């Protein structure tokens, strides 16, 4: 009975890692669809979101079932609670990729991103991919040091987000209101995606150490 119980606990981690893989794929395709006005990729992202939602539901059901049957305490209870938190963050990350894909679809056949902002948005997409990949590694390895490092990546995303807004507010902006709204929202989606990746890593840090990152202190990089 206990072996089966711990197999179910381990299975939660496997499903969370699979969610990070799906979300990373969604973000990669959504970013490309946004920049290249690729309608096919945009539709793929939108259609594939059900897989992420399905895994979140499975994790939630497993957590509730284990809590009811096993009445876990201490580390096991912390594992179940953090698994639910992380699955929620990952599900929302999938939704943010869908929002980007829908922006690309709405602007098709034009690109939603003007040429002068392509490099900035491309870098935001790359950072988002790197962060979710790192979050998946943190879940799998429970590497506290790596988990703390995601804050640095998030700072880079915030810098690019501000750069995007500077361009939109510049007197040189000549693309009108509707594109400005789309780009503003897209920037927000990338920024929130990064925030959720940080939350995922913070939950792993808490799971392993019993402390929140701010209680551990600033990581030396």
């Amino acid at each position: 009975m206990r072996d089966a119980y711990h197999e179910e606990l381990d299975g939660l981690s496997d499903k969370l890692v699979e969610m990070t893989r799906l979300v990373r794929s969604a973000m990669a395709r959504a970013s490309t669809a946004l920049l290249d006005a690729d309608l096919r990729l945009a539709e793929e992202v939108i259609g594939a979101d059900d897989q992420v939602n399905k895994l979140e539901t499975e994790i939630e059901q497993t957590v509730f079932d284990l809590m009811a049957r096993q009445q876990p305490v201490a580390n096991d209870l912390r594992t179940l609670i953090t698994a639910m938190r992380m699955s929620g963050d990952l599900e929302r990350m999938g939704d943010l990729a869908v929002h980007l894909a829908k922006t690309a679809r709405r602007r098709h056949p034009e690109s939603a991103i003007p040429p002068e902002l392509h490099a900035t948005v491309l870098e935001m997409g790359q950072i988002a991919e790197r962060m979710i990949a790192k979050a998946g590694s943190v879940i799998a390895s429970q590497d506290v040091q790596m988990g703390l490092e995601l804050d640095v990546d998030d700072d880079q995303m915030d810098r690019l987000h501000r750069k995007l807004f500077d361009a939109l507010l510049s007197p040189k902006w000549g693309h009108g209101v509707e594109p400005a709204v789309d780009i503003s929202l897209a920037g927000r989606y990338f920024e929130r995606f990064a925030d959720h990746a940080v939350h995922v890593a913070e939950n792993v840090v808490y799971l392993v150490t019993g402390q929140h990152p701010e209680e551990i202190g600033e990581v030396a990089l």
Side-chain angles (χ1 to χ4, degrees):
M1 287 289 291
R2 299 302 293 178
D3 286 345
Y5 167 55
H6 284 101
E7 282 180 10
E8 288 183 272
L9 285 176
D10 292 340
L12 290 174
S13 178
D14 293 340
K15 287 182 178 179
L16 288 167
V17 172
E18 175 64 8
M19 286 184 79
T20 67
R21 187 191 66 78
L22 292 172
V23 169
R24 182 183 182 184
S25 175
M27 174 52 73
R29 288 180 292 170
S31 297
T32 300
L34 192 67
L35 290 166
D36 297 347
D38 191 320
L39 184 60
R40 179 185 62 82
L41 279 181
E43 296 289 3
E44 285 180 4
V45 173
I46 295 165
D49 191 50
D50 284 346
Q51 297 176 56
V52 177
N53 297 338
K54 181 174 180 290
L55 279 171
E56 187 203 18
T57 299
E58 289 177 2
I59 288 170
E60 184 177 273
Q61 290 174 342
T62 298
V63 168
F64 287 148
D65 181 58
L66 289 175
M67 291 180 75
R69 287 191 292 109
Q70 303 291 341
Q71 298 182 341
V73 295
N75 288 343
D76 288 350
L77 182 59
R78 198 156 67 211
T79 296
L80 296 176
I81 291 171
T82 55
M84 282 193 63
R85 288 175 177 171
M86 287 188 282
S87 69
D89 277 311
L90 291 165
E91 188 275 334
R92 285 187 285 276
M93 292 169 83
D95 287 346
L96 291 165
V98 168
H99 293 333
L100 289 170
K102 287 182 176 179
T103 300
R105 184 174 67 179
R106 184 168 61 250
R107 300 296 295 174
H108 185 268
E110 302 297 325
S111 171
I113 309 300
E116 64 268 28
L117 293 178
H118 267 226
T120 300
V121 172
L122 176 62
E123 189 176 356
M124 293 178 86
Q126 290 170 341
I127 291 173
E129 284 187 63
R130 183 166 71 242
M131 291 183 73
I132 186 58
K134 192 176 289 186
S137 296
V138 170
I139 293 170
S141 65
Q142 298 195 346
D143 187 327
V144 170
Q145 181 74 14
M146 188 188 299
L148 294 170
E149 290 172 3
L150 264 79
D151 266 337
V152 176
D153 296 313
D154 190 43
D155 289 342
Q156 295 175 351
M157 183 70 87
D158 290 341
R159 174 182 58 80
L160 291 169
H161 191 210
R162 289 191 296 270
K163 183 178 179 180
L164 210 59
F165 265 91
D166 287 344
L168 295 177
L169 297 174
S170 169
K172 297 180 180 179
W173 178 258
H175 300 284
V177 174
E178 189 175 353
V181 171
D182 283 341
I183 293 164
S184 175
L185 289 173
R188 179 61 172 163
Y189 300 148
F190 281 117
E191 189 266 339
R192 287 302 299 152
F193 188 96
D195 286 345
H196 284 300
V198 172
H199 292 164
V200 169
E202 287 177 343
N203 273 289
V204 176
V205 172
Y206 176 71
L207 172 63
V208 175
T209 68
Q211 294 179 295
H212 298 288
E214 61 271 18
E215 296 172 319
I216 294 174
E218 186 175 357
V219 62
L221 299 174

